[in-house]
Amino acid sequence: MIQRVLKASVEVAGCVHASIGQGLLLFLGIEDNDTGEDIEWLCRKTASLRIFDDSNGVMNLNVTDIGGKIMVISQFTLHAMTKKGNRPSYIRAAKPDTAIPLYEEFISVMESMTGGKIASGIFGADMKVGLVNDGPVTIWMDSKNKE
């Protein structure tokens, strides 16, 4: 899930771990069947998204065009299944031994594609995320459903 933000921050254990100004806040959920190909597609698509206004007020610029920053937060709850009962199932979410390397790969690939340092949370930590959504602009992307 991608949110265009004016600013965002993540706290862990009561301390600010990372923060950004204008840019993108990415909530990344990884499934068991995700691969490096999914990471490449998501990074390329995200880095190229033209969701920032140009001088005419038209969403025509990407995050690097505006000199924006990117923050990535791991979030397994994006894969919640709510079909049965009232307690979500997270069976589709990858276990840490699969998810952590892909999460780290996502950050590395995004850094190389955008040429900038990517801020991030701490995988598996109890995090408090603060943001000011700009627009609001929120976009859902799924590497298994490339629409």
Side-chain angles (χ1 to χ4, degrees):
M1 184 174 66
I2 300 163
Q3 296 192 323
R4 185 178 78 177
V5 297
L6 294 177
K7 63 182 177 177
S9 63
V10 60
E11 291 184 14
V12 178
C15 297
V16 174
H17 177 73
S19 63
I20 61 169
Q22 183 182 27
L24 299 174
L25 174 59
L26 312 175
F27 292 100
L28 181 64
I30 298 172
E31 292 184 354
D32 277 329
N33 61 354
D34 284 336
T35 67
E37 288 179 21
D38 295 298
I39 298 301
E40 288 284 333
W41 181 85
L42 284 168
C43 288
R44 186 172 44 260
K45 193 73 170 171
T46 300
S48 301
L49 275 178
R50 298 185 311 164
I51 59 173
F52 293 91
D53 292 350
D54 63 16
S55 59
N56 296 317
V58 176
M59 282 196 250
N60 203 26
L61 303 174
N62 66 40
V63 67
T64 55
D65 292 336
I66 64 149
K69 302 298 181 191
I70 298 172
M71 179 182 289
V72 180
I73 303 293
S74 62
Q75 189 170 356
F76 74 93
T77 59
L78 289 171
H79 294 296
M81 294 172 55
T82 59
K83 185 175 182 178
K84 295 188 323 185
N86 293 318
R87 184 187 324 177
S89 168
Y90 303 105
I91 197 162
R92 289 184 5 213
K95 304 289 184 271
D97 59 328
T98 299
I100 291 171
L102 288 172
Y103 173 73
E104 292 171 350
E105 182 180 348
F106 183 94
I107 292 170
S108 177
V109 170
M110 187 62 78
E111 285 179 338
S112 67
M113 285 188 179
T114 61
K117 177 83 173 118
I118 303 299
S120 65
I122 298 174
F123 189 96
D126 180 20
M127 297 177 275
K128 309 300 180 218
V129 179
L131 67 128
V132 176
N133 194 318
D134 183 18
V137 174
T138 302
I139 295 174
W140 174 258
M141 286 196 321
D142 183 349
S143 64
K144 302 299 188 226
N145 186 17
K146 297 177 174 110
E147 293 183 353

